[in-house]
Amino acid sequence: MEYGNLAYKEYYAPKTAKKPQPKKNVQKANAKARKRAVGYIAAIAVLALSAGFMISTFVAVHETKDEVAALEETLGDLQAQTSQKAFDLEHAIDLDEVEKIASERLGMQRPEKYQTIYVNVRREDEVQKTAREVEGLSKRIASGLGGIWSNIVEFFSIQ
C-alpha cells in the first residue's frame, strides 16, 4: 500500500510469491552415484584381469623359450656324445682282428677269384618332374596364400 504521505519510511511493496525450488531427489542422485561407482569398479576389474592375463601369457612364453633353449643345449651335448661314440666305434674295429676271428672261430675264408662276379646294370635315361609341374596353378596359389597367412600370424605372434 502506498500512501501519499512521505512520513512513512517504509515502502510497502506487494509480496511476490517465491517460486518453489525443485526438490532434489537424494535417492536418485545416490543411485546414479552408486551405478557410476560400480561401473568404474567393473572397468578397473576388467583392466586388472586383462593385464594379469597378458603378464601370465608373457611369463608362460618366456618360460617355454627358456625350456626350449635348455633342451636344445642338451640335444647339442647328446649329439656331440653320439658322434664321438660313433667315431670311437669306427676306429675301435680292427679289420685284421675281425678277419682272424672269422677265419679261426667261424671257419670262414676269403672268396677265390672265380667266386667273385661283377654285374653291369644298365641304366635308362630318367625324366624327373619337379613339384611345380605336378601341382598346377591352383596348388601354387594356395601355397602362396598360406605362406602370406603364416607370415601375418608370425608377425603378430608374441616373441
Side-chain angles (χ1 to χ4, degrees):
M1 283 177 30
E2 187 172 307
Y3 298 102
N5 186 355
L6 294 177
Y8 293 108
K9 298 257 181 189
E10 295 180 17
Y11 176 73
Y12 294 102
K15 293 186 179 181
T16 58
K18 287 185 180 179
K19 290 183 183 176
Q21 293 288 334
K23 292 184 180 180
K24 293 181 180 177
N25 195 343
V26 177
Q27 291 177 347
K28 284 185 180 178
N30 286 342
K32 284 183 181 180
R34 271 190 240 116
K35 281 184 181 180
R36 199 173 303 131
V38 167
Y40 290 148
I41 291 171
I44 290 170
V46 167
L47 288 174
L49 286 173
S50 62
F53 177 73
M54 286 175 53
I55 290 171
S56 67
T57 303
F58 286 134
V59 167
V61 167
H62 183 68
E63 287 176 351
T64 305
K65 282 185 178 181
D66 288 345
E67 186 178 336
V68 167
L71 289 174
E72 285 176 347
E73 185 177 330
T74 304
L75 177 65
D77 293 343
L78 291 175
Q79 285 176 340
Q81 287 178 357
T82 302
S83 64
Q84 181 63 38
K85 296 230 184 245
F87 179 78
D88 292 344
L89 183 63
E90 287 174 3
H91 286 74
I93 297 175
D94 184 17
L95 294 179
D96 294 331
E97 186 68 27
V98 171
E99 186 176 355
K100 180 180 173 187
I101 291 172
S103 61
E104 290 176 2
R105 200 172 355 163
L106 300 175
M108 299 174 83
Q109 56 184 331
R110 286 197 168 269
E112 300 293 328
K113 284 195 175 214
Y114 66 90
Q115 292 176 323
T116 305
I117 300 173
Y118 295 98
V119 178
N120 283 333
V121 178
R122 209 173 137 204
R123 293 184 65 177
E124 297 291 326
D125 290 338
E126 295 179 10
V127 176
Q128 295 180 352
K129 287 188 174 184
T130 61
R132 174 173 254 169
E133 293 171 355
V134 174
E135 287 180 350
L137 180 63
S138 62
K139 293 279 187 177
R140 284 188 288 175
I141 291 173
S143 67
L145 291 176
I148 291 171
W149 178 253
S150 65
N151 288 340
I152 290 171
V153 169
E154 183 179 338
F155 179 75
F156 287 108
S157 65
I158 297 173
Q159 301 245 347

